[in-house]
Amino acid sequence: MMQSFDLYMPTRLLFGKGRIAELGPAIRNRGKKVLFVTGGNSIRRSGLHDRILGILADEGCSVAELAGVTPNPDISQVRRGVEICRAERIDLVLAAGGGSVLDAAKAVAAGALYPGDPWDLVSGKAPVQGHLPIFTVITLAATGSEFDDGGVISNAETREKLVIEGGLIPEVSIADPEYTLTVPPFQTAAGAADILSHVFEQYFVREGNTLSDGFCEAVMRTVVRNAPVAVADPGNYEARAELLAASSFGCCGLLSIGRTRSPWPCHAIEHELSAWYGITHGAGLAVITPAWMRLSLTRETAARFARYGEAVFGIREGSVEKRAGESIRRTGEFFRSIGLPSRLSEFGITDEHFGEMADHVLATRGDLHDAFVPLGREGILRVLRDSL
Ligand code: NZQ
Ligand code: ZN
């Protein structure tokens, strides 16, 4: 049954080659004091960093930079950005990089308008009530942060990794696939796993509908077809472009229209692994997803797994049960084929902290009872143990 839904995605997404030329007009009249948020050296090597500084200079902007944002960005980096915003009376935040850089920038943009510690906004102690204008230039096809309203921030002190919510929607995002040509094969593969997982989290729910089933299946086919090409041939523009466009739709709400709610169980579990071990988000998802699928395969859910297998891998032979099992096997095989790990032990992870992880999921996300197949504490532990 088609469920009611809200869809609000007002970001202007400027997709394609050379769209950076439109950054100047986009930020014009939005303020002159810019916080430029960046990660490591990738945008310096590619020349994007200089290009953006040139545009900001042409626009007469004064620029403060929050550089060195790391993967799985920590709240300490956000706090540093918020301090700069306050000291320099920043008007707008401009992020250029992968999802981590964009997420940190979003949290800074919210923290700048909040008088307390920005961790309050991540932990949910205080609601996000506003944010500085956010502009982004995305350089990695994965999170879709350039076209969604959230961010994910870690806290090394409390060993947590949580989603900051509250309408953190970029005003304009530039998505030029050329900027993604330099992404190394492992990050490309991890990004592909992240995009796929975003779809899985919305596709594998109790009730779907023809329209959003189709959106989801198109995105999954796009990733399965193009990720191997981009991994083997990083300079392939067409494959990069398909992946980047696919990634932008992951978390914007379009894929879940009219579907029953999902608590995003794989993300809930993977964020625990990243919080404890700092692993790459997409790689962690590649490991736990097949285990979660095996746990979720029941007589009631088999038809959906079989449908997925047919739509994405062309599996048509055998009974529904057989096709469902084969679809799950092919999912794991796909992740391995693009160079992703398949066991937590490959990261050196043991079961030592699984209990704490499961308890933290329950405390922060509830018991995942409304997942495709209800999980609860035992289900979370089973997924983790089956991934070892
Ligand atoms: O720091 P630099 O030098 O840029 O290097 C980065 C980083 O080492 C590199 N990279 C990025 N663009 C590149 C590049 N290298 C060469 N060429 C380029 N064009 O890639 C490495 C990983 O970057 P990161 O930003 O961490 O990757 P990703 O975009 O996958 O972001 C992952 C983070 O986003 C969160 C994840 O949990 C994780 O913290 N997520 C955010 C979501 C959202 N905002 O909606 C949803 C996701 O489910 C996810 O949880
Ligand atoms: Zn994700």
Side-chain angles (χ1 to χ4, degrees):
M1 198 181 101
M2 182 65 106
Q3 313 288 313
S4 305
F5 63 89
D6 276 0
L7 184 62
Y8 181 65
M9 44 181 194
T11 300
R12 230 175 109 212
L13 185 63
L14 301 177
F15 184 93
K17 280 185 196 177
R19 303 303 299 267
I20 194 74
E22 289 158 75
L23 178 62
I27 61 165
R28 205 167 290 156
N29 306 322
R30 299 299 285 134
K32 290 290 178 202
K33 293 189 169 183
V34 176
L35 180 72
F36 184 26
V37 184
T38 62
N41 280 324
S42 75
I43 65 161
R44 285 172 186 79
R45 282 195 300 269
S46 68
L48 177 59
H49 190 261
D50 282 349
R51 180 79 199 271
I52 290 176
L53 288 181
I55 290 168
L56 294 175
D58 289 347
E59 292 298 321
C61 295
S62 67
V63 181
E65 185 167 346
L66 174 66
V69 171
T70 57
N72 301 323
D74 189 72
I75 189 65
S76 57
Q77 299 165 357
V78 174
R79 289 182 182 128
R80 202 151 44 86
V82 168
E83 275 167 28
I84 300 173
C85 288
R86 289 179 185 150
E88 304 289 332
R89 305 176 79 83
I90 292 292
D91 296 318
L92 65 92
V93 175
L94 167 63
S100 294
V101 171
L102 271 55
D103 287 0
K106 288 176 170 184
V108 169
L113 300 189
Y114 173 70
D117 178 8
W119 182 251
D120 295 349
L121 304 174
V122 183
S123 65
K125 185 174 161 195
V128 172
Q129 284 184 321
H131 59 84
L132 294 175
I134 301 163
F135 296 82
T136 83
V137 182
I138 185 72
T139 65
L140 203 165
T143 61
S145 187
E146 69 278 9
F147 201 49
D148 75 17
D149 61 357
V152 189
I153 303 298
S154 298
N155 186 330
E157 279 171 24
T158 61
R159 280 223 176 85
E160 287 176 291
K161 180 172 180 178
L162 298 170
V163 177
I164 176 169
E165 287 166 349
L168 298 173
I169 299 170
E171 216 164 284
V172 176
S173 284
I174 291 171
D176 181 342
E178 287 197 310
Y179 295 142
T180 69
L181 299 179
T182 52
V183 178
F186 178 75
Q187 288 295 340
T188 302
D194 194 21
I195 305 169
L196 273 182
S197 177
H198 296 159
V199 185
F200 295 154
E201 303 279 34
Q202 298 165 89
Y203 183 77
F204 292 110
V205 293
R206 297 198 189 148
E207 277 188 58
N209 55 74
T210 313
L211 182 62
S212 51
D213 277 349
F215 289 153
C216 290
E217 288 162 5
V219 173
M220 293 189 286
R221 273 196 299 275
T222 301
V223 175
V224 166
R225 184 169 304 165
N226 290 287
V229 179
V231 166
D233 177 17
N236 188 310
Y237 178 87
E238 206 48 40
R240 293 294 195 177
E242 292 250 22
L243 287 174
L244 187 58
S247 69
S248 294
F249 291 102
C251 305
C252 73
L254 182 73
L255 303 184
S256 61
I257 63 166
R259 310 180 78 75
T260 47
R261 208 191 146 269
S262 164
W264 290 55
C266 290
H267 275 66
I269 297 171
E270 196 294 318
H271 284 169
E272 294 301 316
L273 293 166
S274 286
W276 277 86
Y277 298 100
I279 66 173
T280 300
H281 174 60
L285 289 168
V287 173
I288 61 171
T289 295
W292 170 79
M293 285 181 164
R294 285 191 288 274
L295 178 131
S296 302
L297 176 57
T298 65
R299 196 190 293 251
E300 287 73 36
T301 63
R304 179 143 288 271
F305 281 108
R307 178 186 165 128
Y308 152 71
E310 178 168 357
V312 178
F313 297 112
I315 300 166
R316 290 187 188 84
E317 300 293 312
S319 65
V320 168
E321 284 71 23
K322 188 158 177 288
R323 284 184 280 134
E326 177 64 4
S327 306
I328 295 172
R329 195 191 65 72
R330 289 285 294 276
T331 306
E333 189 179 273
F334 171 74
F335 289 141
R336 281 192 298 281
S337 76
I338 55 173
L340 291 170
S342 51
R343 311 252 47 118
L344 290 177
S345 51
E346 293 172 54
F347 298 100
I349 296 175
T350 65
D351 63 358
E352 190 183 352
H353 299 295
F354 284 176
E356 287 145 286
M357 292 180 192
D359 289 339
H360 191 256
V361 171
L362 300 185
T364 54
R365 318 243 186 173
D367 63 2
L368 310 183
H369 68 276
D370 50 356
F372 193 34
V373 163
L375 283 185
R377 189 173 196 278
E378 197 43 45
I380 296 167
L381 288 173
R382 271 181 59 196
V383 171
L384 286 166
R385 288 194 197 112
D386 193 23
S387 305
L388 267 173

